[in-house]
Amino acid sequence: MPSYTVPAGIYAAEAATEIRKSARLPIFLFPTVFTPPAFYALFALALGRGDAQAATHSLATFGVFAAIGPALFGFGAGVAQERESGQLALKRLAPMPAGAHLWGKLAACMVFTAAALALLTPLGLLAGVRLDPWRWPLLLAVQILSVVPFALIGLGIGYLAGSKGA
């Protein structure tokens, strides 16, 4: 039986396409990338009044909140819209691996989550968050990886609901 290998370039190209597609949509960028830092600035900076422990807790939770937006909107609404418009059927006919489409969406969600975290982290420092140096990369990794379960929920919503419902 012949073995087939899939070039990694297909996955990278699909991820780059998803990132470009989402970056061109202000209706996607503003709620997913800018809302978590704006809420953190409101609750931790404006209303937090210098409580470093509360600011640290808020930074951790708003980082996961930053993962929810791209995962649910990127997967849920995106898959539902592609399914209704016929783009998903067209992608299934294309000679690319089935996982490339999902990987592209997942990679885009992680990139936009990282963008939101890049805005959240300096706000956390302004709010008084002080962590050991080894905890910062661990916190960011957990927050970025939290995209995966929310993306699976979004994928389920995208396949079950219509684009307006998702």
Side-chain angles (χ1 to χ4, degrees), residues 126-152:
L126 283 174
V129 174
R130 299 291 178 256
L131 293 176
D132 295 331
W134 63 273
R135 289 187 190 256
W136 283 104
L138 184 63
L139 175 66
L140 294 173
V142 166
Q143 290 170 332
I144 290 173
L145 289 175
S146 68
V147 165
V148 175
F150 294 114
L152 292 174

Side-chain angles (χ1 to χ4, degrees), residues 8 10-12 19 22 29 32 35-36 46 89 95-96 118 130 149 159:
I10 293 173
Y11 290 93
I19 292 166
S22 297
L29 281 179
T32 59
T35 300
M96 73 174 192
R130 299 291 178 256
Y159 275 110

Side-chain angles (χ1 to χ4, degrees), residues 4-130:
Y4 299 99
T5 59
V6 178
I10 293 173
Y11 290 93
E14 189 67 23
T17 301
E18 284 293 328
I19 292 166
R20 257 192 316 264
K21 181 176 80 171
S22 297
R24 292 178 180 163
L25 297 171
I27 199 165
F28 172 80
L29 281 179
F30 287 112
T32 59
V33 175
F34 298 118
T35 300
F39 281 157
Y40 183 78
L42 174 67
F43 293 121
L45 289 175
L47 302 176
R49 302 183 201 276
D51 186 358
Q53 185 176 4
T56 304
H57 181 266
S58 295
L59 180 67
T61 55
F62 275 93
V64 175
F65 174 59
I68 293 172
L72 290 181
F73 290 121
F75 264 92
V79 167
Q81 183 214 9
E82 290 171 357
R83 184 175 49 82
E84 284 185 353
S85 69
Q87 291 175 347
L88 205 54
L90 185 62
K91 285 199 180 240
R92 282 190 217 135
L93 292 174
M96 73 174 192
H101 176 66
L102 296 177
W103 165 251
K105 287 197 168 298
L106 185 63
C109 290
M110 288 183 175
V111 164
F112 290 111
T113 298
L117 294 174
L119 297 173
L120 269 172
T121 303
L123 290 174
L125 293 172
L126 283 174
V129 174
R130 299 291 178 256

